[in-house]
């Protein structure tokens, strides 16, 4: 029997066609879904069922009598069960990460993952806890909960929960129905609540409340289109479509003597599906209606490009037929794509006119190929996908310059989509939905269901990184292992993960949480990034390993991170021992304490018996003191520390002299405080206290040359020429007599300088006499030294004509010799 034409199953609504496609015969037991509260995720996601406690269930007839939330795939296969302990569940729904968000009546929220991770939890705040939560609505990232006093609290992102109360609508009774407009669909980019109150609808956001002044309420159901531009309002048998700003009414359908629908959802962005007890109604953009009969009420799941409908026995998809499919399959179509598709069928049947068909569309072949490829992407039936792709492949053979990447990409995408839609996986998605999320999201959804082999095949087939698959598999293997020990698990993971995983931190963290601490440590040895390795080692109590990894990385900030963690976590003595084992950490700790002036550094030196460093620290503190008594006390304390270190004898001797010097300076007065030994000697000499200066010289063993220089300069500054003469005449000067002349010349005391020039080296006589203006003496000294150049310099400097003539004769005479 010949197969039906694809267009024979289309449903016409005026000039628009819709396709009702059966996805699955449900694999669960026959369930009466009217006895359950249902939450189904979009993008072909899982279905959560919770028995409705408000309804009585006959014992023995329902398979689910407990209070757990049972999770199924879209094909009806059981995924798992979630136990919600505590208060009753006020509402539950799925977010974009396929996490089940359960809001309890006491305001507590728990977020469950399909992969079995520990659920996250947070609270909606004090008002939700005091008044209680009665209902909830969810969108991709967040939720809005309604309290018993008809206030609304919003959480924009459950991953980073920050509950926020919306404006108070001051309602006397609960709304007949309400829904939310997600933030990305509103002009304000903030969530908005639409609540049916009385005969009208009020919009509520964080800024205020606005009455939309409608008159046909009360509205039992409100639904917003996927693009956020339209809203469907149901009041009894009336279904009205308006813009979300409620300024325009686009269409209206009235079903006489009908009850309010059980549910309402959008099929795309221009048609509405309403679910009743025995049928579903598709209401078009102009109020036309198409009836879809069912044996039992169906639950509606709104998708980007259509709607999914399921009950206890069947799961179907309803979507608009696209223009590409119409161009190929519409009855009587003579488009190039339709002719190319017919030519493919004729060629398969070995019909002779296939070549004529291909020749007739030769000029339109690129358009025909593109249309067949696009139609294959929109077609849910695998057989039709294959036929359309064969037609596109046939047309491509007649186009020598056609780029085949589009055909290859479509084949890959459809193969992945069909693998996702298999009964064992149960993720029915269209090409539009598949392309609206990155491939990593679809791989993550497979991993959430522990379908690691399929996820790995998808990554390899699509040439995508597969590291996340191996990481998730390793984590799942560790969680599921109950009989293997650390060594066996390590060997198993090492063989599978070799060169496949760039980071082992996530795996090691799961191993540590599951009690495999030794396994976690061994896995961290393979982690190449110390910045990721160190925090986990610290959380596991492996302080020494963390410090070693931080030092090995060469990152000072990471070493400081470990140091500060140990400082907070350990007693002070244990902390000092921990950083003392690592010289790099000890030096960094010393540098930090020195920069900030932390007093704990003194305790660190004391515990490590670092007497010299402790002494240096005390000396540094003494330098900042102003009180001489405190300075002496601090220096004596530092001296005691240095005496305990036998290798610091020279430093101890120098510090001992410094202590005695400070004590002497205390006696001399405040003006000597903080001065060096040389400055102190100079001060005594400048004051004429020669006896004390000599005593200090002998007490501190000042070298004779140094003391001579200090005494010379002090006497010249004091203008004590007799004492200077006694110093020069007492015995041979250890510094010579040139400094005497230079210092006097610098003080402009030329007569005094002249007394010491003759006692200088003969070669210095002429230059020194020339400097003080004693030209005759300079000329005589130059002549005596037979220094012709110096004579010429003196001759050039002299202004006395007689002396100039005399020096000229000396030059002439010396030149002849």
């Amino acid at each position: 029997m010949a197969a039906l034409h694809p267009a024979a199953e289309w449903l016409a609504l005026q000039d628009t066609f819709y396709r009702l496609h059966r996805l699955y015969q449900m694999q669960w037991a026959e369930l009466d879904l009217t006895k359950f509260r249902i939450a189904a995720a979009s993008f072909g996601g899982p279905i959560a069922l919770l028995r409705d406690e408000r309804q009585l269930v006959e014992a023995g007839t329902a398979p689910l009598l407990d209070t757990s939330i049972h999770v199924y795939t879209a094909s009806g296969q059981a995924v798992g069960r979630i136990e919600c302990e505590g208060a009753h569940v006020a509402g539950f729904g799925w977010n974009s990460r396929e996490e089940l968000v359960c809001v309890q009546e006491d305001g507590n929220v728990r977020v469950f993952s399909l992969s079995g991770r520990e659920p996250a939890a947070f609270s909606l705040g004090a008002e939700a806890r005091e008044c209680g939560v009665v209902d909830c609505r969810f969108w991709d990232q967040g939720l809005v909960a309604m309290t018993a006093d008809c206030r609304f609290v919003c959480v924009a992102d459950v991953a980073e929960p920050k509950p926020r109360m919306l404006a108070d609508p001051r309602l006397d009774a609960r709304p007949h129905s309400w829904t939310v407009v997600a933030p990305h669909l509103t002009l304000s980019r903030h969530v908005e609540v639409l609540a049916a109150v009385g005969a009208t609808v009020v919009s509520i956001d964080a800024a205020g409340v606005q009455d939309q002044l409608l008159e046909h309420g009360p509205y039992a159901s409100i639904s917003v289109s996927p693009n956020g531009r339209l809203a469907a309002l149901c009041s009894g048998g009336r279904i009205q479509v308006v813009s979300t700003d409620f300024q325009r009414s686009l269409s209206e359908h009235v079903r006489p003597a009908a009850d309010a629908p059980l549910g309402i959802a959008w099929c795309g962005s221009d048609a509405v599906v309403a679910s009743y007890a025995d049928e579903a109604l598709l209401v078009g953009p102009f109020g036309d209606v198409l009836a879809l009969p069912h044996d039992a009420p169906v639950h509606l799941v709104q998708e980007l490009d259509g709607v999914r409908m399921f009950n206890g026995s069947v799961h179907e998809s309803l979507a608009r037929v696209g223009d590409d499919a119409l161009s190929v399959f519409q009855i009587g179509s003579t488009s190039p794509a339709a002719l190319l598709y017919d030519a493919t069928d004729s060629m398969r049947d070995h019909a002779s006119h296939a070549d004529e068909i291909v020749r007739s569309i030769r000029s339109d072949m690129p358009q025909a190929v593109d249309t067949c490829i696009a139609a294959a992407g929109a077609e849910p039936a695998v057989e039709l996908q294959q036929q359309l792709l064969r037609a596109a492949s046939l047309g491509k053979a007649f186009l020598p310059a056609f780029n085949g990447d589009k055909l290859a990409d479509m084949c890959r995408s459809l193969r992945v989509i069909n693998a996702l839609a298999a009964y064992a996986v149960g993720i029915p998605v269209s090409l539009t939905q598949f392309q609206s999320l990155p491939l990593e999201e679809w791989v993550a959804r497979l991993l959430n269901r522990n379908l690691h082999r399929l996820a790995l095949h998808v990554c390899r087939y699509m040439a995508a990184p597969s590291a996340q698959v191996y990481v998730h598999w390793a984590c799942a293997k560790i969680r599921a292992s109950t009989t293997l020990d650390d060594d066996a698990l390590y060997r198993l993971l090492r063989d599978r993960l070799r060169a496949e995983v760039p980071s082992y931190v996530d795996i090691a963290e799961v191993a540590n949480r599951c009690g495999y601490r030794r396994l976690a440590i061994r896995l961290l040895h393979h982690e190449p990034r110390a910045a990721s390795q160190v925090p986990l080692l610290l959380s596991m109590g492996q302080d020494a390993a963390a410090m070693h990894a931080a030092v090995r990385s060469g990152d000072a900030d990471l070493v400081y991170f470990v140091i500060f963690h140990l400082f907070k976590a350990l007693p002070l003595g244990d902390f000092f021992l921990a950083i003392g084992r690592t010289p790099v950490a000890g030096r960094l700790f010393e540098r930090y304490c020195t920069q900030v002036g932390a007093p704990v550094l003194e305790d660190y030196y004391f515990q490590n018996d670092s007497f010299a460093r402790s002494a240096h620290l005390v000396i540094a503190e003494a330098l900042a003191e102003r009180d001489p008594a405190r300075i002496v006390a601090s220096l004596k304390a530092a001296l005691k520390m240095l005496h305990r270190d036998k290798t610091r004898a020279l430093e101890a001797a120098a510090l001992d002299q410094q202590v005695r010097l400070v004590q002497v300076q205390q006696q001399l007065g405040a003006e000597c405080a903080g001065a060096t030994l040389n400055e102190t000697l100079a001060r005594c000499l400048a004051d004429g206290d020669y006896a004390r200066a000599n005593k200090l010289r002998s007490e501190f063993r000042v070298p004779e040359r140094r003391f001579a220089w200090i005494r010379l300069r002090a006497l010249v500054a004091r203008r004590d020429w007799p004492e200077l003469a006694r110093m020069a005449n007492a015995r041979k000067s250890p510094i010579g007599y040139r400094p005497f002349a230079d210092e006097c010349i610098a003080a402009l005391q030329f007569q005094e300088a002249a007394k010491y020039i003759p006692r200088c080296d003969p070669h210095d006589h002429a230059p020194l006499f020339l400097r003080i203006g004693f030209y005759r003496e300079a000329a005589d000294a130059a002549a005596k030294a037979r220094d012709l150049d110096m004579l010429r310099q003196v001759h050039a400097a002299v202004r006395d004509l007689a002396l100039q003539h005399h020096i000229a004769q000396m030059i002439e005479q010396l030149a002849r010799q």
Side-chain angles (χ1 to χ4, degrees):
M1 183 177 180
L4 291 176
H5 190 274
E9 297 181 349
W10 292 353
L11 305 174
L13 190 64
Q14 283 196 347
D15 58 348
T16 304
F17 292 91
Y18 289 85
R19 180 191 293 110
L20 183 63
H21 176 69
R22 174 167 292 189
L23 298 174
Y24 305 108
Q25 191 74 26
M26 300 304 285
Q27 300 300 297
W28 54 30
E30 289 290 336
L31 296 178
D32 183 3
L33 296 186
T34 59
K35 305 295 184 182
F36 295 90
R37 299 162 64 184
I38 304 173
S42 58
F43 291 97
I47 302 170
L49 301 180
L50 175 64
R51 185 171 65 85
D52 192 347
E53 297 178 351
R54 296 167 296 184
Q55 300 186 37
L56 295 177
V57 178
E58 182 179 354
T61 61
L64 303 176
L65 295 177
D66 55 21
T67 58
S68 304
I69 298 177
H70 292 256
V71 182
Y72 296 86
T73 65
S75 60
Q77 293 188 349
V79 174
R81 186 173 66 177
I82 296 174
E83 300 289 345
C84 284
E85 301 175 354
H88 290 174
V89 177
F92 58 102
W94 300 92
N95 62 15
S96 59
R97 294 177 287 273
E98 283 196 336
E99 295 171 331
L100 187 64
V101 184
C102 297
V103 182
Q104 298 176 329
E105 293 179 352
D106 57 2
N108 291 321
V109 181
R110 302 180 71 187
V111 183
F112 297 92
S113 171
L114 289 178
S115 60
R117 292 196 305 267
E118 188 71 20
F122 61 92
S123 174
L124 293 178
E127 184 162 350
R129 183 169 55 253
E130 294 172 1
C131 300
V133 177
V134 295
D135 201 1
C136 299
R137 297 291 184 271
F138 304 86
W139 73 91
D140 290 345
Q141 286 82 28
L143 64 93
V144 174
M146 183 175 67
T147 61
D149 59 349
C150 300
R151 293 288 305 275
F152 296 93
V153 57
C154 165
V155 176
D157 189 352
V158 295
E160 298 179 0
K162 297 178 181 178
R164 181 184 180 186
M165 296 298 299
L166 301 184
D168 188 359
R170 303 184 183 279
L171 302 180
D172 298 330
R174 296 183 185 178
H176 302 290
S177 63
W178 64 284
T179 190
V180 297
V181 184
H184 66 277
L185 300 178
T186 62
L187 294 176
S188 64
R189 295 302 175 186
H190 295 288
V191 67
E192 182 178 330
V193 174
L194 302 179
V197 180
T200 186
V201 172
V202 296
S203 59
I204 307 164
D205 57 18
V209 180
Q210 182 178 358
D211 189 348
Q212 302 300 336
L213 304 177
L214 303 183
E215 300 177 351
H216 299 291
Y219 299 103
S221 298
I222 305 176
S223 180
V224 178
S225 63
N227 58 15
R229 298 177 181 176
L230 303 176
L233 310 176
C234 296
S235 175
R238 179 194 300 271
I239 300 177
Q240 183 181 2
V241 177
V242 299
S243 60
T244 49
D245 59 1
F246 295 91
Q247 300 300 312
R248 295 177 301 152
S249 178
L250 281 78
S251 66
E252 184 176 311
H253 168 72
V254 179
R255 188 184 187 195
D259 296 331
L262 302 176
I264 186 170
W266 284 83
C267 182
S269 296
D270 57 357
V272 178
V273 178
S275 172
Y276 293 92
D278 55 353
E279 65 177 355
L281 290 184
L282 176 64
V283 181
F286 302 103
D288 300 301
V289 177
L290 183 65
L292 306 172
H294 289 89
D295 296 336
V298 292
H299 183 82
L300 306 177
V301 184
Q302 186 169 297
E303 299 285 4
L304 286 176
D305 54 350
V307 63
R308 289 188 289 123
M309 304 179 292
F310 66 88
N311 54 24
S313 58
V314 68
H315 196 158
E316 298 174 322
S317 171
L318 179 65
R320 181 177 178 177
V321 178
D323 295 336
D324 298 309
L326 286 174
S327 178
V328 177
F329 294 123
Q330 191 171 19
I331 302 299
S333 175
T334 58
S335 67
L339 295 177
L340 179 60
Y341 182 80
D342 292 340
T344 306
D345 282 345
S346 301
M347 187 171 294
R348 186 175 62 249
D349 297 337
H350 304 286
S352 59
H353 63 280
D355 181 64
E356 299 177 3
I357 298 176
V358 171
R359 290 179 181 274
S360 67
I361 59 172
R362 194 67 175 268
S363 60
D364 297 324
M365 188 63 73
Q367 175 188 354
V369 172
D370 289 341
T371 302
C372 287
I373 293 175
E379 181 60 47
V382 177
E383 296 79 4
L384 292 178
Q385 294 174 7
Q386 295 172 345
Q387 295 176 20
L388 288 166
L389 292 175
R390 290 193 190 100
S393 180
L394 173 64
K396 182 175 73 69
F398 292 91
L399 298 173
F402 186 80
N403 187 353
D405 292 345
K406 184 183 296 186
L407 177 60
D409 291 343
M410 182 61 71
C411 291
R412 281 195 292 266
S413 297
L414 288 178
R415 188 171 181 180
V416 174
I417 290 172
N418 294 333
L420 294 176
Y423 267 92
V425 181
I427 308 179
V429 292
S430 64
L431 180 66
T432 301
Q433 298 169 32
F434 179 76
Q435 293 177 341
S436 64
L437 295 178
L439 181 65
E440 292 78 7
E441 285 286 334
W442 298 109
V443 174
R445 297 186 179 215
L446 291 175
L447 297 179
N448 286 339
R449 294 161 172 79
N450 289 327
L451 299 173
H452 300 97
R453 183 179 294 276
L454 178 59
L456 185 60
H457 288 329
V458 168
C459 289
R460 291 176 176 173
Y461 185 69
M462 300 296 285
S466 58
Q468 62 170 332
V469 179
Y470 285 97
V471 171
H472 192 280
W473 170 82
C475 296
K477 187 68 176 178
I478 293 172
R479 292 191 187 98
S481 298
T482 56
T483 58
L484 297 178
D485 59 6
D486 294 73
D487 295 332
L489 270 176
Y490 175 74
R491 289 192 297 270
L492 176 63
L493 297 179
R494 181 194 58 192
D495 295 340
R496 291 290 183 89
L497 303 181
R498 192 186 307 274
E500 298 289 350
V501 178
S503 175
Y504 284 79
V505 171
D506 293 336
I507 306 174
E509 187 174 0
V510 172
N512 180 52
R513 208 163 41 233
C514 294
Y516 295 101
R517 174 162 297 187
R518 194 154 53 89
L519 171 63
I521 296 173
R522 297 183 69 180
L523 290 174
L524 283 177
H525 290 161
H526 299 279
E527 173 57 40
R529 296 175 300 175
S532 302
Q533 181 183 15
V534 168
L536 184 55
L537 286 172
L538 290 175
S539 67
M540 294 163 53
Q542 301 297 315
D543 300 338
M547 180 66 77
H548 177 70
V551 171
R552 187 179 54 191
S553 71
D555 187 350
D557 291 336
L558 194 58
V559 179
Y560 276 125
F561 175 78
V562 179
I563 291 174
F564 294 146
H565 172 83
L566 297 180
F567 183 76
K568 294 179 180 178
L570 299 177
L572 197 57
D574 295 340
F575 167 73
F576 290 154
L577 291 175
I579 65 172
R581 299 188 192 100
T582 308
V584 174
R587 288 194 295 269
L588 288 176
F589 177 71
E590 291 178 33
R591 178 188 299 176
Y592 173 80
C593 293
T594 302
Q595 291 175 350
V596 302
V600 72
L601 185 58
E602 186 175 350
D603 298 331
Y604 174 65
Y605 287 153
F606 179 79
Q607 176 156 328
N608 289 345
D609 294 336
S610 299
F611 303 116
R613 293 180 179 179
S614 298
H616 293 164
L617 191 61
V618 174
I619 292 171
E621 295 175 356
L623 293 177
E625 288 286 349
R626 296 298 181 186
D627 186 3
R630 291 186 178 181
I631 295 176
V632 172
S634 298
L635 293 179
K636 286 183 177 180
L639 183 59
K640 290 181 179 179
M641 296 177 186
L642 286 177
H643 282 316
R644 299 178 66 181
D645 191 343
K646 303 304 181 182
T647 64
R648 301 290 180 170
L650 292 177
E651 289 89 340
L655 184 58
D656 182 49
Q657 290 186 352
Q658 183 66 28
V659 172
R660 289 188 283 115
L661 177 61
V662 173
Q663 291 174 336
V664 171
Q665 290 172 346
Q666 284 183 275
Q667 299 172 4
L668 293 176
E671 62 274 7
C672 290
T676 63
L677 176 60
N678 292 353
E679 292 170 345
T680 305
L681 288 170
R683 183 69 182 179
C684 293
L685 293 169
D687 293 341
D689 194 353
Y690 303 132
R692 185 181 292 273
N694 289 321
K695 182 179 179 181
L696 287 176
R697 171 200 170 188
S698 61
E699 182 179 354
F700 288 97
R701 298 179 182 177
V702 178
E704 189 175 0
R705 285 179 56 84
R706 189 201 307 173
F707 183 71
W709 273 104
I710 297 172
R711 186 180 179 188
L712 169 63
R713 288 170 178 167
L715 292 176
V716 172
R718 196 168 185 271
R719 302 297 194 266
D720 192 347
W721 310 122
E723 184 64 27
L724 182 63
R726 281 193 293 272
M727 174 183 173
N729 297 328
R731 57 176 179 172
K732 186 178 179 179
S733 173
I735 59 175
Y737 295 96
R738 174 68 184 264
F740 285 78
D742 287 336
E743 292 297 326
C744 290
I745 293 172
L748 302 179
Q749 301 297 319
F750 301 144
Q751 293 295 335
E752 293 294 329
K755 297 177 183 179
Y756 303 104
I757 292 175
R759 304 177 70 173
C760 298
D761 190 274
H763 294 287
D764 295 332
H765 292 174
L768 291 174
F769 279 127
L770 180 60
R771 285 175 61 189
I772 64 176
F774 284 34
Y775 301 120
R776 185 174 296 277
E777 290 81 356
D780 293 340
K784 186 177 180 180
R786 306 181 66 81
D787 190 343
L788 187 59
D789 292 334
M790 179 55 66
L791 273 175
R792 291 192 178 103
Q793 293 181 26
V794 175
H795 181 270
V798 171
R799 296 292 179 264
D800 187 349
L801 295 178
L803 184 57
Q804 280 185 347
H805 179 69
H806 177 67
I807 296 174
Q809 290 178 346
M810 296 172 68
I811 294 173
E812 184 179 354
Q813 182 181 0
L814 186 61
R816 286 198 302 265
Q817 293 179 359

